[in-house]
Structure formats: C-alpha cells, structure tokens
Amino acid sequence: MTLHQNLIAGEWVGTDGVANVNPSNTNDVIGDYARASADDAKAAIAAAKAAFPAWSRSGILERHAILKKTADEIIARKDELGRLLSREEGKTLAEGIGETVRAGQIFEFFAGEALRLAGEVIPSVRPGIGIEITREPVGVVGIITPWNFPIAIPAWKVAPALCYGNTVVFKPAELVPGCSWAIVDILHRAGLPKGVLNLVMGKGSVVGQAMLDSPDVQAITFTGSVGTGKRVAAASVEHNRKFQLEMGGKNPFVVLDDADLSVAVEAAVNSAFFSTGQRCTASSRLIVTEGIHDRFVAAMGERMKGLVIDDALKAGTHIGPVVDQGQLNQDTDYIAIGQQEGAKLAFGGEVISRDTPGFYLEPALFTDATNQMRISREEIFGPVAAVIRVKDYDEALAVANDTPFGLSSGIATTSLKHATHFKRNAEAGMVMVNLPTAGVDFHVPFGGRKGSSYGSREQGKYAAEFYTTVKTAYTLA
Ligand code: ADP
C-alpha cells in the first residue's frame, strides 16, 4: 500500500506508516500515512522559519494564483475527495462532498482576499506627519486540527494563513490524515515555494506538543477538545505567542409553543443527529416549552424512525457511523449516565450492526432531562440529545444560557418579538432562528464565547485579525 508521507521543506519524507481505517467498515484500509517524530516537527518549524522572509514579501498575484489553483482543483475533484472524506471520517457521501465544496470555496475566498489586502492612511494629530496602518503576517503559524471536519477546518486555517503571508506547520488529527494530505499535495503542486507549508501527520502528544514547545512558532490556531485547548493556551502564554482556540459546545435549541412544528423538528434532527452529532455546533439540549412539548417529542420519534443509519458511502444513508471505538464508548457511556441520572431514553441509543463491521449507533433522544444533569452539561460529541421541558420563553432563554459553553444557539418560533430578543440575548457566537444550530456559511465569522472559544474569529474577513499583526508607521512629510 502506498505510503503518504509528510511534507517538510518541500520534500516528501517518512518511512513508518499507520493505517487509516474506514469507520463504516474496519476491514477497509484507506492507506498508510506517515507518523512524524518530534524531530520532524522541529525540522518543519525550521523550514517554515527559513521560508518566512521570502513568502512574507511575496507578491499578491502569486498568492492569489496558488490559492485559486487549489480551489479549482478541490472543486474539480469534489466527488473523489468527498468520498475519501466520508470513507475516513464516516459522515455521509452528501455531507462529505458538501464539505469538500466548502473547502474549495474557502480557498477561493482567500484567493480573492489576497488581492484585497489594504491598509489605512490617517493624518497625525501633529501637522506635517502622516500615519500608515498596515497588516503584516505574524510569522510561523502552527495549525492543529480535529477529526470531525477533515477538509473544511484545515482549509479555513491553511488558506488565510498563506493568504496573509505566513508560513505554516500543519498537524491534522491522527484519525483523518487523508484529506489533509490531499490538500497539502494540491497546494504543493500549485507552486508553493519550499518550506512555506509543512505537513506533519502524527500524534498530538508528540508532534503537537513539539509545536507548542517551540519558541519559533509565533501563532497557533487550534480546534479540538477543551483539555488540549487549555494546554495550547498555557504553552502559548509561556512563549508570548498569539493563539486561537475553538473547543467544545453544548448548544441549545429552543422550541417555543408558537413554532412551526415541522420546521422545529427538521432543525432539531439536523442539529442533533446529522454528521452523527459529531459537530461542535451540534445541538444536544432541546429546550421545549410545555404547550408544544408532547407534540414535539412525538414528532421527533416519528422523524427518527425514518432515519437510515448505515455505511456512509451507501446511497440513502442519512447518518453514518461514529468515528471510532473510543468515541462510541464515550457515547454509550453517556447514554448510560443519562439513564442513571433519571432522564428517560425515549428513542434509540442502541449499538447496531450492519453488513460491514463499523461503529454504528442509533441516534438517542432523552426526555425528562434537567439542565443540571451531566448529559446536559458535558459535551458528548455523538448523536445524543436531551429534551428539557420549560414553562415559557423566559425560562427557555435562562436555561439556554446556563452552560459553560457559548458556540451556537438556536430557536424555533414564529414570534418576531421572541426571535429578536433571543438574537440579542443568547450568550453565543452564532445564533440561528428557525435553522439548525450547525451549518454555517464560509464567508462570515465563525466562533463562540465563554468556554467554547478564545481569541479572534475564524473565516471571512475577520480571519485577518488572527493571521496578521498591525503596524502603525509615522512619517514626517
Ligand atoms: P478530540 O477529542 O476531538 O480528538 P483533541 O483535543 O484530543 O480532541 O485533538 C485535537 C487535535 O489536537 C488533534 O490534532 C490532536 O492530535 C491534537 N493534540 C492532542 N494532544 C495534543 C497536545 N498535547 N499538544 C498539541 N496538540 C495535541
């Protein structure tokens, strides 16, 4: 089987490979992917450091052309790359292709941004002096990504990092190296100079840690768990470096008495269960007012009966497998915890088998949950949601905000008054009205507040804040 190597200083290197296994069928090995060592990570950082002076001064047309070429190739290969994504991560083929197209669009967006770099010219308070405010690249950027969006998250970090003139050391999640390898290969062939983008696939505790410990990494952008995020933060403060964290969520979806029931159920099922619930924007707390509660629960049960849980690559599958055995254990542990805490497992929650060996779990819906239960407070990261019954809108809003997290927050209502109030008062970075809590556009800011995120926003024009540093220059005319 071909070994997919790491890219360091423009050379493909590495001999040891680890198998990348399909969670829909554990007999299916996608390929072997090299594991970088701490020394490889150090070599990658040195290469990125050496490449920085030239790349930071590269022409905007060169950056534009490379990012645009990458966008075009990703979109041209969307079916193949989408299939690779679904095969390594387990989301359905439609979701895999959709995510691939989004990655292409992100590269296209930042190809455009490279041509729109601009600053400000402002008069000084002192006559005869002019002030220029410009954005400069930060330096070597470390990129650490999780397994749940194998192509979109790498794209939304790598594209802006390169667009604004930074050089990169990129470490994808161990479970899904395939899509990351593919986009690095595309960028490399698109003409990136040696050392500008380095790929170091491998363990977080080894490769990621080497990035955290290096004084030569000037910024780290991280998406993953709260625990690792805290390590990134502590190490970054130590080195006085910029850092950006996207971590967990425990996103609420409020359903009010006046909601359109079918809109509420579609949004809730999508938020809670699509992509196997493995999205940081997934909704796991369905906060429902008492006038619609019973009708909502019954309609959810009906809708869930129609969900097809099967091989991610099969036509007709709505929900693919859980990503691996460890995550499946975590999901079933929480399903047991919810029952012990006194919530009622109303629908689903069984581990099921299909034609091929994989990690299949029926989506689980709890009712009679409270917001104090562990299943309502801790991120499960699987297709598990709990219905919390509340009296009215005011209680719903209070419960929605009563969480350590603050990524996304949704409401189903036909009341303009409640929708407006909720948009203003939800303690979250993103608010959705009559829409799922997950599913966001590629050209606008993404991120949260409270325990979910730290630092400036990702994506869209707002990405410039993280990937650049501001310079204010004064000139006596
Ligand atoms: P998840 O539970 O979603 O896998 P993690 O935070 O463990 O979340 O993983 C997210 C990313 O962080 C992965 O690429 C992983 O390899 C990396 N990572 C894990 N441990 C460390 C560490 N000590 N230092 C740096 N990166 C790490």
Side-chain angles (χ1 to χ4, degrees):
M1 190 159 279
T2 355
L3 174 67
H4 298 80
Q5 294 170 298
N6 285 309
L7 184 69
I8 300 176
E11 305 296 330
W12 293 107
V13 293
T15 45
D16 288 342
V18 174
N20 182 0
V21 176
N22 177 353
S24 296
N25 175 5
T26 52
N27 293 327
D28 175 29
V29 175
I30 297 154
D32 283 338
Y33 289 80
R35 277 266 152 114
S37 64
D39 282 344
D40 291 333
K42 285 182 192 154
I45 294 165
K49 188 179 175 183
F52 180 70
W55 182 249
S56 65
R57 293 190 189 91
S58 58
I60 55 172
L61 261 186
E62 181 183 1
R63 294 185 213 169
H64 167 80
I66 291 168
L67 295 171
K68 178 73 170 72
K69 218 168 160 187
T70 302
D72 291 347
E73 183 170 338
I74 291 174
I75 291 180
R77 291 171 57 193
K78 68 179 170 35
D79 293 338
E80 171 214 339
L81 293 174
R83 193 178 167 81
L84 168 66
L85 195 167
S86 298
R87 204 171 150 209
E88 71 175 347
E89 198 270 351
K91 65 183 67 172
T92 64
L93 196 51
E95 290 171 327
I97 293 171
E99 188 183 326
T100 303
V101 169
R102 181 169 164 205
Q105 290 165 330
I106 290 167
F107 275 99
E108 178 133 29
F109 179 87
F110 285 104
E113 286 300 279
L115 299 181
R116 285 189 286 266
L117 293 173
E120 289 180 277
V121 176
I122 288 178
S124 165
V125 292
R126 290 169 282 164
I129 293 176
I131 302 176
E132 292 155 37
I133 303 170
T134 50
R135 287 189 177 274
E136 295 186 353
V138 180
V140 176
V141 174
I143 295 179
I144 301 177
T145 57
W147 51 259
N148 64 330
F149 283 91
I151 199 163
I153 296 181
W156 85 50
K157 294 182 191 295
V158 170
L162 298 175
C163 163
Y164 296 113
N166 302 282
T167 56
V168 173
V169 178
F170 168 35
K171 194 209 90 63
E174 295 90 314
L175 280 176
V176 292
C179 290
S180 291
W181 188 91
I183 60 172
V184 170
D185 171 53
I186 294 170
L187 278 156
H188 179 60
R189 286 187 288 98
L192 266 187
K194 279 178 196 288
V196 170
L197 171 65
N198 301 275
L199 174 70
V200 278
M201 300 174 288
K203 283 184 164 231
S205 56
V206 177
V207 179
Q209 194 64 42
M211 290 160 71
L212 265 47
D213 293 340
S214 170
D216 291 329
V217 176
Q218 274 94 12
I220 291 195
T221 175
F222 167 84
T223 302
S225 65
V226 173
T228 310
K230 291 202 160 131
R231 298 175 79 107
V232 174
S236 297
V237 168
E238 175 87 7
H239 290 290
N240 202 26
R241 77 159 71 93
K242 242 179 150 170
F243 63 101
Q244 177 184 57
L245 312 174
E246 288 300 342
M247 302 173 289
K250 197 68 201 172
N251 308 297
F253 185 73
V254 169
V255 180
L256 297 186
D257 285 356
D258 63 23
D260 176 320
L261 187 62
S262 62
V263 167
V265 168
E266 269 323 296
V269 165
N270 178 313
S271 299
F273 305 134
F274 282 16
S275 299
T276 323
Q278 297 174 152
R279 299 185 282 194
C280 46
T281 46
S283 176
S284 47
R285 296 186 297 138
L286 309 176
I287 301 162
V288 185
T289 50
E290 47 196 22
I292 197 170
H293 177 276
D294 293 354
R295 277 184 295 139
F296 175 77
V297 169
M300 285 291 285
E302 276 307 306
R303 181 70 178 81
M304 287 170 71
K305 271 190 218 153
L307 293 175
V308 176
I309 297 102
D310 208 332
D311 189 322
L313 298 177
K314 264 195 194 166
T317 295
H318 298 121
I319 295 175
V322 172
V323 75
D324 72 352
Q325 186 64 51
Q327 183 61 50
L328 181 62
N329 293 345
Q330 178 164 318
D331 297 346
T332 52
D333 285 353
Y334 272 108
I335 291 169
I337 289 167
Q339 289 169 296
Q340 284 153 20
E341 287 178 309
K344 182 178 154 214
L345 183 59
F347 307 106
E350 290 294 320
V351 174
I352 48 181
S353 47
R354 289 295 179 255
D355 293 346
T356 48
F359 311 108
Y360 297 103
L361 175 65
E362 279 176 349
L365 186 70
F366 281 103
T367 56
D368 302 281
T370 71
N371 200 43
Q372 303 317 315
M373 292 175 176
R374 283 182 64 194
I375 54 165
S376 302
R377 302 211 78 77
E378 297 168 18
E379 187 176 48
I380 300 171
F381 221 64
V384 184
V387 176
I388 301 169
R389 184 199 293 257
V390 290
K391 202 165 67 271
D392 54 16
Y393 170 73
D394 290 340
E395 188 184 354
L397 177 66
V399 170
N401 285 338
D402 176 12
T403 169
F405 296 106
L407 187 56
S408 183
S409 193
I411 189 167
T413 179
T414 52
S415 151
L416 181 61
K417 182 177 141 201
H418 286 140
T420 305
H421 190 270
F422 191 79
K423 280 190 276 185
R424 289 199 185 131
N425 292 284
E427 293 169 6
M430 295 172 290
V431 186
M432 312 291 183
V433 178
N434 293 320
L435 287 167
T437 53
V440 294
D441 285 8
F442 66 87
H443 66 309
V444 290
F446 176 93
R449 51 174 88 166
K450 293 161 74 177
S452 289
S453 307
Y454 186 92
S456 51
R457 289 286 184 267
E458 303 200 74
Q459 301 196 59
K461 283 193 166 305
Y462 286 65
E465 198 54 44
F466 182 73
Y467 294 97
T468 62
T469 179
V470 171
K471 180 173 278 174
T472 314
Y474 294 76
T475 311
L476 177 63

